[in-house]
């Protein structure tokens, strides 16, 4: 049963209620390894589902275009105070609807159309909004892209510096969506200073690790920091832009009125709740365990002969190159999902295959760590992945179905002992 229960929704709209319940049960029964996903707390769920969704609040606290902000203003101020204190920055804008709008606001704040920007190429682990071809950011700006080194799988800082000095970008992006290694914020900052660029750190994936002290912080190095709030940070779907006070006005004007209308006040409240949770000592333990789980999973996969981009991980994320396993990422991901291991297919650096059917898999440990799994569980997770990938590579549908059924059952048995925030099995009639 969903917690809080969906009693009224079930009475009024059983179709939607049934689908929400089914999704919750699916999340309970699966080992969720999508690196950008998590399970939020019941308190975050309650704030997200509150009456704040009824309110319009265009503007900022104390300077709104609509009346009735007596309670929304303190909510947004609390979210800002908690963000600045947690991340050690002078200014926070908590209104961006999600990560892509937050990144667009950085362009609006610091660039003009046609300006040169420098970011990590998408197939190398960057994000669409760091200037990739199909994104508005790649179409409206002169986007130059750096890569990772073939021999190490790590960002090529020599190339970053060469490109930065040659192209003189207005903005340099660091961070991305499939980077298994520590981001060297001081090195990026030095290059940005050398060429006079604004350094933008997109820490969407690792924000929770930074908050919990399990990854170095870009604060004091990057001019502007963007992050979603729902990945390792374990809050609602939303985003923030953090900066020094000198950039506050430009950032705020870019978010509103530059790009957005009214902020989603229910999300702001839920972000505030998640930030308070992330400031607690138990969140630091969580962040460290996320990394320990990813390392244990990487080690177990290496033992099973898997080729990992960069040879392992420093954070929550492992990028697997399946080329030596004889099965592409997409069919492997589909077979794994059927077996109860939810993840996404992903391009690997220098991938000869197309993005919709690439060579790799991306896995992350934020959600399984929230669920209570520890490094001791990771060899079993790796063995389940291996059993399914091996069967998928053989191409024998009956054998794959048998492996899938066995693994799914074993996973259901394991996860039954690990509660999920937001849903629990209905009590049996005799209990
Ligand atoms: N979709 C996000 C991710 O999975 O990393 C990035 O936008």
């Amino acid at each position: 049963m969903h917690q809080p229960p969906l009693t009224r929704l079930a009475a009024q709209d059983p179709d939607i209620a049934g689908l929400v319940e089914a999704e919750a049960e699916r999340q309970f029964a699966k080992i969720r390894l999508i690196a950008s996903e998590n399970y939020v707390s019941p308190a975050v769920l309650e704030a997200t589902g509150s009456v704040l969704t009824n309110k319009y609040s265009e503007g900022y606290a104390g300077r709104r275009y609509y009346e009735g902000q007596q309670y929304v203003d303190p909510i947004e101020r609390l979210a800002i105070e908690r963000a600045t204190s947690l991340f050690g920055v002078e200014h926070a804008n908590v209104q961006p609807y999600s990560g892509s709008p937050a990144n667009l606001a950085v362009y609006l704040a610091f660039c003009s159309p046609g300006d040169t920007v420098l970011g990590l190429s998408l197939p190398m682990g960057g994000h669409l909004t760091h200037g990739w071809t199909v994104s508005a950011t790649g179409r409206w700006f002169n986007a130059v892209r750096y890569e990772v080194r073939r021999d190490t799988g790590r960002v090529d800082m020599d190339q970053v510096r060469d490109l930065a000095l040659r192209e003189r970008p207005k903005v340099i992006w660091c961070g991305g969506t499939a980077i298994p290694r520590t981001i060297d914020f001081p090195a990026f900052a030095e290059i940005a200073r050398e060429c006079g660029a604004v350094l933008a750190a997109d820490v969407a994936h690792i924000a929770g690790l930074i908050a919990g002290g399990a990854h170095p912080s870009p604060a004091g190095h990057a001019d502007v920091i963007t992050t979603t709030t729902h990945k390792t940070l374990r809050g609602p779907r939303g985003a923030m832009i953090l900066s020094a006070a000198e950039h506050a006005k430009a950032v705020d004007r870019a978010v509103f009125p530059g790009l957005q209308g009214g902020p989603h006040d229910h999300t702001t409240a839920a972000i505030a709740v998640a930030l308070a949770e992330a400031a607690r000592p138990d969140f630091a333990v969580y962040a460290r365990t996320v990394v320990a789980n990813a390392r244990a999973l990487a080690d177990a996969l290496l033992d099973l002969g898997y080729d990992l981009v960069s040879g392992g991980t420093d954070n929550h994320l492992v990028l697997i190159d399946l080329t030596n396993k004889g099965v592409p990422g997409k069919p492997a991901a589909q077979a794994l999902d059927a077996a109860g291991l939810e993840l996404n297919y992903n391009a690997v650096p220098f991938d000869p295959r197309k993005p919709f059917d690439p060579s790799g898999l991306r896995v992350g440990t934020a959600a399984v760590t929230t669920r209570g799994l520890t490094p001791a569980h990771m060899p079993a997770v790796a063995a389940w992945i291996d059993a399914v990938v091996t069967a998928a590579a053989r191409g024998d549908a009956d054998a794959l179905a048998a492996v899938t059924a066995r693994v799914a059952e074993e996973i259901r048995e394991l996860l039954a002992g690990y509660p999920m925030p937001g849903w629990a099995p209905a009590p049996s009639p005799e209990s």
Side-chain angles (χ1 to χ4, degrees):
M1 285 174 57
H2 200 277
Q3 291 165 347
L6 304 175
T7 326
R8 291 175 189 80
L9 182 61
Q12 179 182 318
D13 194 334
D15 293 339
I16 291 295
L19 289 166
V20 176
E21 278 289 341
E23 168 61 17
E25 188 168 4
R26 190 194 68 77
Q27 292 183 13
F28 180 77
K30 287 236 171 115
I31 292 196
R32 298 177 57 232
L33 293 169
I34 292 181
S36 45
E37 294 184 353
N38 212 324
Y39 297 94
V40 299
S41 70
V44 168
L45 277 182
E46 284 182 9
T48 309
S50 67
V51 295
L52 291 168
T53 199
N54 299 338
K55 190 70 195 117
Y56 250 114
S57 311
E58 277 163 332
Y60 292 100
R63 293 175 286 129
R64 307 278 190 189
Y65 290 80
Y66 295 72
E67 296 308 319
Q69 312 297 340
Q70 291 84 350
Y71 305 105
V72 167
D73 275 3
I75 286 170
E76 189 168 320
R77 284 197 180 105
L78 267 176
I80 290 168
E81 278 166 29
R82 291 175 184 180
T84 53
S85 147
L86 185 64
F87 288 96
V89 293
E90 291 170 341
H91 180 68
N93 185 307
V94 295
Q95 294 194 2
Y97 298 143
S98 202
S100 295
N103 288 352
L104 287 179
V106 169
Y107 288 91
L108 192 57
F110 298 107
C111 298
S112 300
D115 278 349
T116 298
V117 297
L118 178 62
L120 179 61
S121 157
L122 180 76
M124 303 279 162
H127 189 256
L128 280 165
T129 55
H130 299 174
W132 189 239
T133 47
V134 294
S135 157
T137 61
R139 295 172 59 184
W140 295 343
F141 299 94
N142 172 38
V144 182
R145 298 165 197 109
Y146 58 89
E147 302 189 332
V148 300
R149 288 174 57 115
R150 261 184 203 275
D151 54 345
T152 62
R154 295 172 188 240
V155 168
D156 186 340
M157 294 306 296
D158 293 334
Q159 188 195 33
V160 176
R161 184 166 181 276
D162 290 347
L163 286 171
L165 293 179
R166 192 183 77 204
E167 303 286 343
R168 299 274 160 188
K170 269 281 180 60
V171 167
I172 298 177
W173 286 100
C174 59
T177 61
I179 302 172
R181 294 297 182 175
T182 301
I183 300 168
D184 190 346
F185 298 119
F188 273 102
E190 199 180 315
I191 293 169
R193 262 198 310 275
E194 219 179 329
C195 73
V198 167
L199 179 63
D202 179 343
V203 299
H205 267 265
I206 53 172
L209 305 184
I210 293 167
H215 188 289
S217 171
H221 302 293
D223 298 289
V224 62
I225 302 165
T226 64
T227 181
T228 52
T229 45
H230 46 267
K231 298 183 173 93
T232 51
L233 191 54
R234 213 162 60 178
R237 300 299 288 252
M240 305 188 293
I241 304 177
L242 314 172
S243 72
E246 64 175 305
H247 299 308
K249 205 166 170 187
V251 166
D252 285 354
R253 285 177 64 85
V255 174
F256 175 85
L259 279 171
Q260 297 189 171
H264 294 175
D265 298 320
H266 54 303
T267 301
T268 307
I271 289 174
V273 173
L275 290 168
E277 290 175 357
R280 294 195 316 228
D282 61 330
F283 194 86
V285 176
Y286 165 72
R288 279 199 301 277
T289 312
V290 169
V291 176
N293 276 339
R295 287 205 171 121
L297 182 57
D299 288 346
L301 288 166
L302 287 168
D303 286 347
L304 291 165
Y306 283 80
D307 183 9
L308 306 184
V309 172
S310 83
T313 183
D314 297 327
N315 53 33
H316 65 303
L317 186 152
V318 179
L319 193 54
I320 307 169
D321 184 344
L322 287 177
T323 307
N324 68 347
K325 294 292 175 185
V327 60
K330 190 172 185 174
Q334 288 168 341
L336 286 159
D337 187 52
L341 294 141
E342 183 191 1
L343 41 72
N344 67 282
Y345 56 87
N346 213 95
V348 295
F350 310 102
D351 202 327
R353 301 182 64 86
K354 295 259 185 287
F356 204 57
D357 187 18
S359 302
L361 298 173
R362 186 185 69 160
V363 296
T365 51
V368 291
T369 307
T370 299
R371 202 67 191 272
L373 300 195
T374 67
H377 295 105
M378 294 304 126
V381 174
W384 284 323
I385 291 174
D386 184 50
V388 177
V389 166
T390 305
R394 283 205 191 107
D396 175 339
D398 291 340
L400 176 59
V403 170
T404 299
R406 170 184 62 83
V407 170
E409 184 50 34
E410 289 173 8
I411 287 173
R412 266 195 299 274
E413 273 172 30
L414 171 75
L415 291 181
Y418 292 87
M420 165 182 152
W423 191 84
S428 60
E430 58 276 9
S431 66

